[in-house]
Amino acid sequence: MAKQRVLSGIQPSGNLTIGNYLGALRQWVAEQDTYECYFCIVDLHAITLPQDPAALRAKTREVAALYVAAGLDPERVTIFVQSHVSAHAELSWLLTCLTPLGWLYRMTQFKDKSAKQQQESVGAGLLNYPTLMAADILLYQAHAVPVGDDQRQHLEFTRDLAQRFNSMFGETFVIPQAMIPKAGARIMGLDNPTAKMSKSETSDYHAIYLLDTPAVVKKKLMRAVTDSYGEIRFSSDEDRAGVNNLLTIYQALTGQTNDEIEAHFAGRGYGDLKKAVVEQVNDRLQPLQDTYNRLMNEAGYLDRILAQGAERAEAVAEKTLQTVRERMGFVARPV
Ligand code: TRP
């Protein structure tokens, strides 16, 4: 039986964090044999907010290299840059024309991101973000989409749009499922443990980046917000969110149970907990950074991976797009 397909992507805006690793990349690595996987670097999504061209170029390559450094095997999975496969932009337009404006206006991400700007100056791309994401997923007929909880609404939108297309033009798209990791892998901001750790937060003590040096990791973690209870245990209380977050990171890295971890830290202070987390994080990041540096220094390596990825992705995407064009009534280009 053919393997089911998985597709996911990360925007090349900001620096990838330990939250991206524990909540996404690590899951992707675990799925690479079970599914036929497509992982893209969604640069067309990144430009829905202003990007500096040189930074966008550098970050796109950096994220691609981090995919590999985190353990994705470019021979077994397809790693590609979204803008290299023009079918994404094209299907996005076709879907845009089938999308009721009301569906777009009610998206919480659009409301949040546009609220931070002047209404009139918000780019139309921000409103259309979900149709581009739907195109990413539907082009590959993905069955499953591993994403964080914050992307649930985008997945619902994609399913609704796929169903709408199928009922208007005939069965064309696989209806995808969100694949949301169980609680535990949700890493919060170190300086604000009630908000998800974000790669686009500008504060220096918010996130651990995958390319942070050991000294920087230590400095950030030692400053992480805790509380005054002085008790090391897992908790869903808001005022214990900082300690819970440190424990969650520790658990994600060691694989130990809540009981084992609480027993290990019984009677000890937050300083000890922080030091233990520093050690675990640095132990995990070091081999990842070594691989990253090695492959960034190997001339042509990343280009070869991205060329091969784009070629494989394009073959699949073009096939779907061809069907969509025919079903919608476009005249085939005479050969
Ligand atoms: N919107 C996703 C995020 O911010 C990124 C994304 C774009 C994506 N296209 C996708 C995720 C397709 C999964 C599948 O996290």
Side-chain angles (χ1 to χ4, degrees):
M1 217 178 83
K3 283 182 185 171
Q4 293 210 323
R5 291 207 183 125
V6 150
L7 177 133
S8 197
I10 296 179
Q11 295 188 47
S13 52
N15 299 313
L16 291 201
T17 72
I18 188 95
N20 293 122
Y21 175 75
L22 295 173
L25 284 172
R26 205 173 57 147
Q27 264 73 34
W28 299 1
V29 171
E31 282 144 21
Q32 60 187 338
D33 288 321
T34 320
Y35 295 90
E36 180 183 324
C37 296
Y38 296 84
F39 296 116
C40 52
I41 298 102
V42 290
D43 51 353
L44 298 172
H45 277 104
I47 61 161
T48 56
L49 291 174
Q51 300 294 332
D52 170 65
L56 180 65
R57 200 171 290 123
K59 288 292 164 198
T60 301
R61 297 179 65 84
E62 183 181 301
V63 174
L66 283 170
Y67 280 8
V68 180
L72 291 178
D73 175 358
E75 294 308 319
R76 283 183 285 164
V77 306
T78 299
I79 295 173
F80 68 104
V81 175
Q82 185 189 32
S83 67
H84 289 173
V85 180
S86 58
H88 291 248
E90 184 172 344
L91 182 61
S92 172
W93 171 252
L94 303 181
L95 294 177
T96 291
C97 295
L98 302 174
T99 304
L101 260 182
W103 290 13
L104 295 171
Y105 281 129
R106 83 167 79 96
M107 301 303 288
T108 54
Q109 182 175 298
F110 171 72
K111 287 194 255 182
D112 291 348
K113 290 193 179 176
S114 59
K116 293 182 183 158
Q117 295 175 53
Q118 288 284 325
Q119 258 300 333
E120 294 295 303
S121 68
V122 171
L126 207 52
L127 182 66
N128 273 314
Y129 183 112
T131 60
L132 178 58
M133 180 159 161
D136 297 342
I137 296 166
L138 300 178
L139 277 174
Y140 299 88
Q141 307 287 6
H143 300 86
V145 183
V147 282
D149 191 46
D150 59 325
Q151 296 297 313
R152 220 180 258 282
Q153 199 187 24
H154 283 149
L155 254 296
E156 274 311 309
F157 174 95
T158 302
R159 291 164 59 86
D160 289 346
L161 198 51
Q163 260 146 7
R164 186 175 169 89
F165 189 100
N166 287 353
S167 66
M168 289 171 78
F169 302 104
E171 285 302 313
T172 304
F173 294 125
V174 167
I175 309 297
Q177 303 271 354
M179 206 158 123
I180 299 186
K182 291 177 281 305
R186 191 172 155 81
I187 309 301
M188 313 303 278
L190 299 178
D191 59 346
N192 172 15
T194 54
K196 185 180 159 185
M197 186 180 280
S198 157
K199 64 178 154 46
S200 31
E201 189 68 54
T202 48
S203 134
D204 282 346
Y205 295 94
H206 173 78
I208 296 169
Y209 301 133
L210 296 182
L211 295 176
D212 277 346
T213 63
V216 169
V217 168
K218 181 169 183 194
K219 196 165 70 175
K220 288 177 174 176
L221 278 166
M222 296 314 281
R223 287 232 197 161
V225 168
T226 54
D227 55 55
S228 53
Y229 294 107
E231 200 186 351
I232 302 182
R233 63 172 173 86
F234 286 90
S235 165
S236 53
D237 295 352
E238 202 157 294
D239 57 353
R240 293 177 187 257
V243 171
N244 190 68
N245 191 36
L246 292 170
L247 288 169
T248 302
I249 297 172
Y250 186 85
Q251 179 166 53
L253 291 167
T254 60
Q256 293 170 10
T257 64
N258 289 23
D259 288 346
E260 284 169 336
I261 294 170
E262 288 174 357
H264 177 74
F265 288 108
R268 296 164 67 185
Y270 291 162
D272 286 346
L273 170 62
K274 287 178 169 178
K275 278 188 212 135
V277 177
V278 170
E279 202 177 294
Q280 290 297 333
V281 170
N282 282 335
D283 281 356
R284 184 63 62 103
L285 291 188
Q286 195 189 335
L288 189 151
Q289 294 179 0
D290 289 347
T291 311
Y292 174 85
N293 290 326
R294 190 155 35 77
L295 60 90
M296 285 303 248
N297 287 326
E298 191 181 323
Y301 177 78
L302 194 60
D303 286 335
R304 282 198 298 281
I305 289 174
L306 295 180
Q308 167 187 298
E311 200 174 313
R312 284 196 219 143
E314 187 163 56
V316 177
E318 276 300 326
K319 188 162 165 262
T320 306
L321 184 58
Q322 207 47 53
T323 308
V324 169
R325 288 195 193 113
E326 276 165 28
R327 302 240 159 118
M328 289 184 76
F330 292 101
V331 172
R333 177 170 152 184
V335 280

